[in-house]
Amino acid sequence: MAIVGRPNVGKSTLLNRMVGQKLSIVSRKPQTTRHPIIGVVTRPDFQLVFVDTPGFQTRHGGLLNRSLNRAVTDSLAGVDAVLLVIEALRYGEADAELVRRLTPDVPVILAINKIDRLTDKSLLLPFLERLRHEYPFAEIVPVSGAAGTQCEALIEALRQHLPEGTAMYDADALTDRSERFLATELVREKVFRCTGEELPHQCHVTVERFETEGELRRIACTIVVARTSQKGMVIGAGGERLKQIGTTARQDMERLFGGRVWLDLHVRVEKDWMTDPGALRRHGYL
């Protein structure tokens, strides 16, 4: 099942809530999610397999954004159902453009997210009525991924529209992604959070070393930025910001991996990596 929606509607937060573990990174910056990531929800009598996708972007047409949009449309092929996420009381052209790309023969469940932010809940009913005329959604479920409101109802609604079959993953599996991949994502999330609005989403993280010694993981990552000025933003005065990024990322890794983590971070400038096809291919975007 593909989870799709425009940037910043809360797809990753909703996935993490339903899975019960932080798998997909979150931030207020657009295009935080860059690679589809699978999240698995297993109950005694059913299993849901979600594919969290990048936010569908209509305002920017760069090579990276085109690659991310292609990942979204590709994820719609071959799925049994689609979970479309929008923000409460917000349905604009970017949402409508994505709706136009949906496949009519695949059930689409609409999740109206962030209802916890509504000060006047009475506005939700006419909004739902409007959306029923936009597309023949199989279900419409108001939710809050951040607060957990109605998430179980959403899971039950999704279950009703999936075919019967054998489980694809073991009962204790949460994702198909490796710890190596999850480590890079957690570092990238902390870069976004610790730099605030100073650094655009022009950074990438690569793993240079990932070694396991019992329950200890030794991880070395490089944070790739596009300009020298951005390198200074990430490092900060006296290296304090890079230290903060490393500390918070390590703490999340230890919670996720269930063991101690030794984390070493470095920053490297790769000019115009977001527009260079060779660099994008090397970093796994093409």
Side-chain angles (χ1 to χ4, degrees), residues 33 66 78 116 119 138 148-150 153 162 191-192 205 241 243 276:
T33 300
R66 290 199 300 273
D116 56 308
T119 55
T149 308
Q150 288 271 92
L162 291 180
V191 171
F192 288 165
V205 178
R241 181 170 288 166
K243 180 179 178 181
D276 178 7

Side-chain angles (χ1 to χ4, degrees), residues 20 35 53 56 64 69 72 80 87 99 102 118 221 228 234 238 264:
H35 300 280
T53 64
F56 189 78
L64 177 60
N69 279 352
V72 177
D80 296 310
E87 192 172 345
V99 166
L102 297 174
L118 295 179
C221 293
T228 302
V234 175
D264 184 30

Side-chain angles (χ1 to χ4, degrees), residues 40-279:
V40 183
V41 175
T42 301
R43 300 292 166 78
D45 54 344
F46 68 92
Q47 184 177 85
L48 300 177
V49 180
F50 297 98
V51 182
D52 189 20
T53 64
F56 189 78
Q57 179 67 261
T58 59
R59 296 179 59 187
H60 305 291
L63 185 58
L64 177 60
N65 281 320
R66 290 199 300 273
S67 173
L68 298 182
N69 279 352
R70 186 164 56 251
V72 177
T73 54
D74 288 349
S75 72
L76 296 174
V79 296
D80 296 310
V82 173
L83 174 58
L84 173 64
V85 183
I86 68 171
E87 192 172 345
L89 304 187
R90 293 188 62 188
Y91 183 86
E93 179 54 32
D95 303 290
E97 174 61 26
L98 188 49
V99 166
R100 287 191 284 269
R101 295 170 182 259
L102 297 174
T103 305
D105 57 349
V106 174
V108 179
I109 294 84
L110 178 65
I112 302 176
N113 198 20
K114 304 184 183 182
I115 60 172
D116 56 308
R117 298 185 180 184
L118 295 179
T119 55
D120 186 356
K121 297 292 194 296
S122 67
L123 298 176
L124 193 57
L125 185 59
F127 183 65
L128 264 64
E129 289 300 318
R130 172 194 166 192
L131 292 171
R132 289 192 175 97
H133 296 286
E134 294 288 338
Y135 189 87
F137 296 109
E139 305 275 355
I140 300 178
V141 184
V143 299
S144 169
T149 308
Q150 288 271 92
C151 287
E152 282 300 317
L154 178 60
I155 289 174
E156 184 58 32
L158 295 169
R159 174 193 180 187
Q160 300 302 318
H161 295 279
L162 291 180
E164 292 186 5
T166 58
M168 297 176 61
Y169 294 91
D170 293 338
D172 59 350
L174 297 178
T175 184
D176 68 328
R177 289 292 191 172
S178 67
E179 290 186 353
R180 186 184 184 99
F181 171 83
L182 295 172
T184 64
E185 290 290 272
L186 288 173
V187 172
R188 192 163 60 86
E189 177 190 64
K190 302 314 176 188
V191 171
F192 288 165
R193 292 195 173 187
C194 293
T195 57
E197 297 302 318
E198 294 181 54
L199 184 71
H201 65 285
Q202 298 177 0
C203 81
H204 172 77
V205 178
T206 63
V207 171
E208 309 296 344
R209 180 160 58 100
F210 195 113
E211 300 172 349
T212 303
E213 301 174 7
E215 294 186 354
L216 171 66
R217 292 160 179 83
R218 295 185 181 275
I219 306 171
C221 293
T222 296
I223 300 167
V224 178
V225 294
R227 295 193 296 273
T228 302
S229 60
Q230 294 173 347
K231 181 176 181 179
M233 293 178 189
V234 175
I235 295 175
E240 283 301 310
R241 181 170 288 166
L242 187 62
K243 180 179 178 181
Q244 180 187 15
I245 292 169
T247 298
T248 54
R250 176 183 55 76
Q251 291 170 347
D252 270 9
M253 290 178 198
E254 290 180 338
R255 281 191 288 268
L256 181 59
F257 301 156
R260 293 185 300 123
V261 171
W262 177 89
L263 179 62
D264 184 30
L265 297 181
H266 298 274
V267 186
R268 182 176 73 238
V269 178
E270 282 189 28
K271 186 178 179 182
D272 300 326
W273 74 266
M274 296 180 66
T275 57
D276 178 7

